């Protein structure tokens, strides 16, 4: 089995793991994971945070966005373009207004001000699976790998997941991006020195 086939097989397994979790389990675990994000020094130092708008089986990021606004931070979310599998970060000021649902069932901003990628301090990265060393396997579109590979991005990449999504190792392809840190409902894992917003120009 080559790495592509291995990845696809793992995706099926991980989707089943997520499906087997109850809504109540996801709610409790999401609250715990979000608390770890909010309490992290990376979040505290950030002026601009990019979150994803959660799908039903993902860690719910709503609490993170709300806390960011309470602390005067700017919140951006991705707007995706299927034609070239790219993402544009767009500033939002509400989780409800100005949103639309994409054909794959994800929510994204219908309108909004694009956010320069070099202004983003922390990106919360979703995925199907993660490893204890910063590897990640997504849903197969390559959106985040392309986005995070851009030379102008210098922020902290933080995977966000349930602990059930962490596997000992994952097959990695050359274009796959490693993460700086991973937060789950059980705590933090850091893989590289975090980038402090205080040391970056805006």
């Amino acid at each position: 089995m080559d790495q592509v086939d291995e990845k696809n097989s793992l995706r099926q397994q991980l989707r089943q793991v997520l499906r087997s979790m109850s809504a109540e389990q996801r709610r409790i675990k999401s609250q715990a994971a979000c608390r770890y994000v909010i309490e992290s020094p990376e979040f505290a130092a950030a002026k601009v945070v990019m979150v994803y708008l959660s799908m039903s089986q993902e860690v719910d990021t709503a609490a993170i966005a709300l806390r960011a606004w309470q602390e005067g931070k700017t919140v951006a979310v991705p707007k995706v373009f299927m034609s070239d599998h790219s993402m544009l970060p767009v500033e939002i000021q509400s989780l409800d207004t100005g949103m639309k649902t994409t054909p794959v069932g994800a929510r994204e901003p219908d309108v909004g001000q694009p956010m320069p990628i070099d202004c983003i301090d922390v990106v919360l990265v979703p995925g199907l699976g993660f490893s204890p060393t910063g590897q990640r396997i997504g849903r197969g579109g390559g959106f985040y790998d392309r986005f995070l590979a851009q030379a102008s991005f210098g922020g902290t990449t933080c995977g966000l997941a349930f602990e059930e999504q962490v596997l000992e190792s994952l097959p990695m392809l050359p274009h796959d991006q490693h993460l700086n840190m991973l937060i789950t409902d059980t705590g933090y894992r850091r893989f590289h020195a975090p980038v402090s917003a205080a040391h970056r120009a805006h």
Side-chain angles (χ1 to χ4, degrees), residues 34 59 72 145:
C34 288
V59 173
D145 288 318

Side-chain angles (χ1 to χ4, degrees), residues 34-35 37-38 43 47 49-54 59-77 92-96 99 107 124 160:
C34 288
R35 273 198 304 272
V37 172
I38 290 166
F43 181 85
K47 295 179 181 177
V49 179
M50 181 171 166
V51 305
Y52 59 90
L53 295 173
S54 311
V59 173
D60 188 346
T61 60
I64 298 168
L66 294 172
R67 176 58 70 90
W69 285 319
Q70 288 171 0
E71 296 185 4
K73 304 180 191 296
T74 298
V75 177
V77 298
I92 61 167
Q93 297 174 342
S94 168
L95 291 171
D96 303 310
M99 296 293 169
R107 289 190 309 139
L124 296 178
L160 184 60

Side-chain angles (χ1 to χ4, degrees), residues 18-96:
L18 291 171
R19 280 194 295 268
S20 69
M21 293 173 63
S22 69
E24 180 67 3
Q25 281 179 306
R26 285 195 287 267
R27 185 186 68 79
I28 293 170
K29 288 173 173 287
S30 285
Q31 289 177 344
C34 288
R35 273 198 304 272
Y36 282 116
V37 172
I38 290 166
E39 293 168 0
S40 70
E42 290 83 359
F43 181 85
K47 295 179 181 177
V48 180
V49 179
M50 181 171 166
V51 305
Y52 59 90
L53 295 173
S54 311
M55 298 177 74
S56 63
Q57 294 178 348
E58 293 177 326
V59 173
D60 188 346
T61 60
I64 298 168
L66 294 172
R67 176 58 70 90
W69 285 319
Q70 288 171 0
E71 296 185 4
K73 304 180 191 296
T74 298
V75 177
V77 298
K79 184 178 178 69
V80 304
F81 297 90
M82 299 302 294
S83 57
D84 60 357
H85 286 221
S86 66
M87 298 195 315
L88 176 70
V90 173
E91 181 181 354
I92 61 167
Q93 297 174 342
S94 168
L95 291 171
D96 303 310

Side-chain angles (χ1 to χ4, degrees), residues 144-163:
Y144 275 88
D145 288 318
R146 288 180 177 84
F147 181 80
L148 299 175
Q150 295 178 83
S152 54
F153 175 68
T156 296
T157 56
C158 177
L160 184 60
F162 302 116
E163 187 65 26

